[in-house]
């Protein structure tokens, strides 16, 4: 975002004359300069590559195949013309017209910023920059490579540019390919792939239309497809994969703001602290306030959660009011509620573990002391981590940050007394687990990504974004919070021997090698294959989307340690990089 200079404002109604007035300046997100330099350097390489290919096509490679048959292709399209096809090609060509591309880009970017509850600046920037860079590289190419248009009857007026590359095709690839990326990453449900697939077909339709209308050789439209794709790849990797650009945690305020803060006037919404009052006392809040102010976060706004709203509404309201940093003080349940509101936004979260489990904090390498964790986070840097999106019968779609499951672990959560947790801490779960061991085995059907359905019996299923639980026990040894995958544990020990084998497998889990980035199965290391799962006490899987059906009887279910309504279904899907978290160096 451009930086706006401070400006005078009129007195607000009810404001005392002569009172201190503050003005806000919009700060650029961190890492913009470095990312812009990287994009610029790669774009120069892209231009050099495309120019080089053009000079090769028009020079030494003119006598090579497929350049030797390009004229035949153009003549074939000319001979195949009919009135209907000509009309359809006109429509297809218009999808890549300059005015169409500019209009659609502006409207979509405006919609991404103005329509959602949380403005999608990163997504809007991705689309606008990709389309703009494609156009810039196209202009450089047409200046450097002089290629005549096909020697056929052309249905459009010939613009004064080289035939190489196809500008219509390149622009359509950058625009509609970018929209496809956004659709595949932002939409949910069966329409996601349908919409994404249709959008990806548009550049191909434009390319064929340009060939049909005699405006380009085949290698010209192939060059347009390559040019638009490279722009998407460069910008998309810089903005979504590298994680260099992050929303500012606290921008330097102008002198008027500092004077106002010094006078005790809060900077409303700049830093919001969402806290669970049952685990964050007044003394804790004062200690956290001191840490925040020591790091320059003056006058933070403390917002209390309630039993009716454990943090989602408070976090969403803080972001709408302009919060640039959200500090979450509580356990995994409070964090999950806040993460659900922050999912997909660029507002960073600082995690302060104050609960019993604190699974995400443990797995991210944060200290378990609240003040030490906050200090370490504020000294660290933003990192994008994954979230799991989960739904089921009687369970509205929501997110989890650490783990979700059904069966034995959920029964343990249901049996754990809140008073025992407050007195004993995490060992209270162990005591509850003794009584839950007689939880009956369930029948289970598992569908992972595009793999065939698996039929199992199980005592417990656990879906994890992270792998380590209380006491340092690793249940999902390959789970990583930032790998774009979720992990599944199916536990089905039979008898004392089965429990011993399962325990041995889990205790050795930390030494397992990293898993591949595809659906995989790992079983107990005793020679048993996965097969149908019979007799295998422990199985591990990795996936991007999973559908779990629990037979005829509703099963206990939990999200990040909180019991939810029992049911027969769970659907889990990873949302890569959906949450920005401040982490100390070396965290996660």
């Amino acid at each position: 975002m451009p930086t706006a200079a401070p400006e005078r404002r009129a007195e607000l109604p009810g404001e005392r004359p002569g009172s201190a007035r503050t003005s806000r300046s919009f700060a650029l997100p961190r890492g913009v300069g470095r990312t812009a330099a990287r994009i610029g350097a790669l774009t120069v390489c892209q231009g050099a590559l495309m120019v080089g290919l053009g000079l090769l096509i028009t020079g030494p490679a003119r006598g090579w195949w497929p350049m030797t048959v390009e004229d035949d292709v153009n003549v074939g399209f000319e001979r195949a013309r009919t009135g209907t096809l000509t009309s359809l090609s006109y429509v297809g060509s218009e999808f890549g017209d300059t005015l169409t591309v500019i209009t659609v880009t502006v409207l979509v970017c405006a919609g991404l910023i103005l329509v959602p509850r949380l403005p999608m600046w990163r997504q809007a920037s991705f689309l606008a920059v990709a389309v703009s860079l494609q156009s810039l590289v196209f202009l450089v190419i047409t200046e450097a490579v002089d290629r005549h248009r096909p020697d056929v009857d052309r249905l459009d007026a010939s613009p004064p540019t080289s035939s190489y590359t196809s500008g219509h095709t390149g622009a359509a690839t950058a625009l509609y390919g970018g929209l496809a990326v956004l659709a595949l990453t932002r939409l949910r449900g069966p329409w996601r792939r349908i919409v994404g697939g249709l959008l990806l077909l548009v550049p191909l339709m434009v390319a064929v239309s340009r060939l049909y209308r005699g405006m380009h050789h085949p290698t010209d439209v192939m060059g347009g497809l390559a040019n638009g794709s490279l722009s998407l790849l460069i910008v998309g990797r810089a903005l979504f994969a590298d994680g260099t650009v992050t929303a500012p945690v606290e921008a330097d305020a102008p002198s008027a703001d500092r004077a106002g803060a010094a006078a005790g006037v809060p900077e409303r919404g700049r830093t919001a602290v969402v806290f669970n009052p049952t685990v964050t006392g007044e003394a804790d809040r004062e200690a956290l306030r001191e840490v925040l102010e020591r790091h320059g976060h003056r006058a933070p706004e403390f917002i209390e959660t309630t039993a009716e709203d454990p943090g989602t509404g408070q976090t969403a309201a803080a972001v709408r009011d302009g919060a640039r940093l959200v500090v979450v003080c509580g356990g995994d349940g409070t964090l999950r509620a806040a993460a659900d509101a922050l999912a997909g936004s660029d507002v960073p979260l600082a995690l302060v573990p104050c609960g019993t489990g604190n699974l995400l904090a443990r797995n991210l390498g944060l200290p378990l002391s609240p003040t030490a964790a906050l200090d370490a986070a504020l000294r660290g840097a933003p990192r994008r981590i994954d979230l799991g999106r989960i739904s089921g019968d009687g369970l509205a779609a929501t997110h989890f940050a650490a783990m979700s499951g059904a069966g034995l672990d959920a029964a343990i959560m249901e049996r754990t007394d809140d008073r025992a947790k407050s007195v004993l801490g995490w060992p209270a779960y162990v005591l509850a687990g003794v009584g839950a061991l007689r939880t009956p085995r369930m029948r289970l059907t598992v569908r992972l990504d595009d793999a065939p359905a698996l039929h199992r019996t199980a005592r417990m299923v656990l879906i994890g974004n992270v792998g380590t639980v209380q006491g340092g026990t690793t249940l999902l040894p390959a789970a990583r919070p930032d790998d774009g995958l979720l992990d599944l544990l199916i536990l089905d020990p039979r008898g004392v021997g089965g429990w011993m084998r399962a325990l041995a497998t889990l205790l050795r889990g930390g030494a397992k090698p990293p898993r591949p980035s595809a659906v995989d199965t790992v079983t107990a290391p005793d020679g048993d294959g996965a097969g149908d799962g019979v007799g295998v006490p422990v199985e591990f899987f990795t996936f991007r989307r999973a559908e779990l059906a629990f037979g005829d009887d509703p099963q206990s279910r939990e999200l990040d340690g909180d019991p939810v309504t029992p049911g027969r279904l769970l659907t889990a899907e990873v949302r890569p990089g959906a949450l920005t978290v401040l982490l100390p160096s070396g965290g996660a």
Side-chain angles (χ1 to χ4, degrees), residues 112-487:
L112 289 171
I113 295 170
L114 300 176
V115 173
R117 175 171 56 86
L118 299 177
M120 299 183 187
W121 286 103
R122 190 183 297 264
Q123 288 77 12
S125 299
F126 161 68
L127 191 64
V129 173
V131 172
S132 300
L133 287 185
Q134 182 282 144
S135 300
L136 178 62
V137 174
F138 165 73
L139 293 176
V140 172
I141 295 171
T142 57
E143 288 295 322
V145 180
D146 184 18
R147 190 180 199 189
H148 296 294
R149 296 189 180 272
D151 189 16
V152 295
D153 180 29
R154 294 188 286 274
L155 299 180
D156 297 324
S158 300
T161 55
S162 170
S163 178
Y164 177 88
T165 61
S166 170
H168 280 63
T169 306
T173 303
L175 173 57
Y176 302 106
L179 291 175
V181 171
L182 298 182
L184 292 170
T185 56
R186 303 299 304 182
L187 297 181
R188 292 294 176 265
W191 285 100
R192 178 172 64 96
R193 294 183 180 179
I194 296 174
V195 172
L198 290 175
L199 287 168
L200 289 175
L201 289 176
V202 175
L204 298 178
M205 178 183 68
V206 173
V208 173
S209 298
R210 299 302 285 173
L211 289 174
Y212 177 91
R213 300 182 71 82
M215 302 307 297
H216 295 284
H217 306 89
T219 49
D220 299 335
V221 297
M222 292 175 62
L225 291 170
N227 189 35
S229 299
L230 287 173
S231 294
L232 287 175
L233 179 63
I234 290 171
V235 179
R237 181 170 180 80
L239 293 182
F240 295 137
D242 292 343
T244 304
V245 177
T246 57
V249 175
E250 183 69 35
D252 290 336
S255 57
D257 280 348
R258 292 176 179 169
V265 179
E267 294 180 286
R268 185 175 179 181
R270 298 296 292 273
T271 301
V273 183
V274 177
F275 70 96
N276 183 340
T278 63
V279 294
T280 311
E282 185 176 351
D284 297 321
R285 297 197 294 273
E286 286 304 313
L288 296 174
R289 188 190 304 274
E290 291 179 6
V291 175
L292 285 165
E293 293 187 350
R294 190 165 64 243
H295 284 272
H297 298 269
R298 296 176 177 83
E301 182 182 6
F302 281 76
I303 308 170
E304 184 174 317
T305 66
T306 64
E308 295 76 20
D309 189 343
T312 303
Q314 294 89 338
T315 303
V319 173
R320 285 197 301 269
D321 290 342
R324 296 186 180 181
L325 170 67
V326 175
V327 180
V328 178
C329 309
D332 289 310
T334 307
L335 169 67
R336 184 193 65 78
D340 191 49
L342 291 173
S345 78
D346 291 331
V347 178
L349 177 148
L351 174 57
V352 177
C354 298
T356 304
N358 303 313
L359 294 188
L360 187 64
R362 296 173 189 271
N363 283 270
L364 294 180
L366 286 167
L368 296 184
S369 162
T371 53
L374 180 58
D375 182 73
L378 296 177
R379 293 179 184 275
R383 282 274 302 276
R384 299 189 74 85
I385 66 171
D386 307 332
L387 289 176
R389 188 175 187 273
I390 196 159
S391 62
D393 54 326
L395 177 61
T398 185
H399 293 86
F400 67 93
M403 294 180 180
S404 176
L408 177 61
D409 73 313
I412 292 173
M413 303 303 171
E414 290 177 345
R415 291 169 179 259
T416 303
D417 184 75
D418 289 337
R419 289 173 296 179
K421 287 196 295 182
S422 63
V423 174
L424 300 176
W426 66 264
Y429 292 116
V430 178
L431 296 179
V434 175
L437 286 178
R438 285 187 281 183
T439 300
R441 182 176 283 107
M442 57 184 163
R443 291 188 295 108
L444 176 67
T445 300
V446 182
R447 290 179 173 84
L448 302 177
D449 296 330
D450 297 325
L454 303 174
H455 301 282
R456 298 287 190 267
T457 58
R459 297 281 188 184
M460 178 180 86
V461 292
L462 188 65
I463 301 168
N465 188 35
V466 296
T468 301
V469 297
Q470 298 91 339
T473 303
T474 300
L475 296 182
L476 293 164
R480 300 292 182 270
D482 57 356
D483 60 358
L485 295 167
L486 294 176
D487 288 64

